[in-house]
Every structure is written in C-alpha cells, then in structure tokens.
C-alpha cells in the first residue's frame, strides 16, 4: 500500500517517470520489456528477424519492419500478435498494432 505524500516531499524518480508515461499514454516500462523479451513468440519465427518493436502507446504497438512485404504479412497476423501480447502483459496493454516500414538504409531497431 502506498502512503500519501506531503506537498513538497520528494517523489522517487521511477514514480515520476511512470506518471509522465501514463499522461502520454505509454505502457509501463515493464510491459515493453516483457513484450520485447517474448518477441520471437509474439511475432513468430518468420517475422522475428524483420519486425522490431518501436513503442507501445495508448494500446497501440508500433512495429518497424524491413520492407513492404513484411508489413503486409504482419498486418495479416495482427489478431494473433495482439492476442499473444495480451497473454504476456494482460488485456489493454496492446489492443492493436501499427506497422511502419523502415526506409532504405535505415538501421534496424
């Protein structure tokens, strides 16, 4: 149970960062780490080398891919990706995906 703070009392940095993230619609840092750690299971063997998680914000998981073909394949698998992410992090953390294609010569993320 968290205790209430007095006005002007210092706030732990982690609490401050989490509060700012919530205001911006970002998932908790542990949710991002959980998904990143389970990435091969979440996107599957065919996509894991071509799709990289970029962010999770307001339930939308942004994923960067190597090319348009991979983007199409990932969009077709959206339902499965969301379900697998929800099994790892719980409902509401990832509700949809947004796929972006890295430009030519862009470094992998």
């Amino acid at each position: 149970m968290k205790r209430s703070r007095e006005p002007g009392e210092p706030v732990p940095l982690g609490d401050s960062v989490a509060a700012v993230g919530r205001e911006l619609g970002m998932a908790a840092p542990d949710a991002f780490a959980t998904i990143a750690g389970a990435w091969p299971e979440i996107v599957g063997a065919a996509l894991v080398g071509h799709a990289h998680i970029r962010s999770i914000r307001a339930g939308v998981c942004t994923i960067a891919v190597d090319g348009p073909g991979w983007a199409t394949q990932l969009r077709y698998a959206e339902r499965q990706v969301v379900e697998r992410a929800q099994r790892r992090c719980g409902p509401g953390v990832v509700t949809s995906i947004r796929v972006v294609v890295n430009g030519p010569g862009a470094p992998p993320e």
Side-chain angles (χ1 to χ4, degrees):
M1 177 162 147
K2 287 189 175 185
R3 67 179 183 86
S4 56
R5 297 189 206 299
E6 296 295 322
E9 185 178 350
V11 177
L13 181 59
D15 291 351
S16 296
V17 170
V20 170
R22 281 190 302 274
E23 288 178 20
L24 296 173
M26 298 173 75
D30 60 334
F32 185 92
T34 298
I35 289 176
W39 197 239
E41 175 192 325
I42 291 172
V43 295
L47 286 165
V48 73
H50 304 282
H52 309 279
I53 185 171
R54 207 181 250 184
S55 66
I56 303 170
R57 190 169 185 173
V60 179
C61 180
T62 300
I63 303 168
V65 295
D66 297 351
W70 297 113
T72 299
Q73 190 169 349
L74 187 55
R75 287 182 187 115
Y76 280 125
E78 178 175 11
R79 185 174 51 94
Q80 291 89 352
V81 170
V82 169
E83 287 172 358
R84 292 174 192 148
Q86 288 179 348
R87 278 197 300 267
R88 288 296 187 147
C89 293
V93 175
V94 175
T95 56
S96 64
I97 64 172
R98 177 177 167 256
V99 182
V100 296
V101 178
N102 280 335
E109 300 196 23

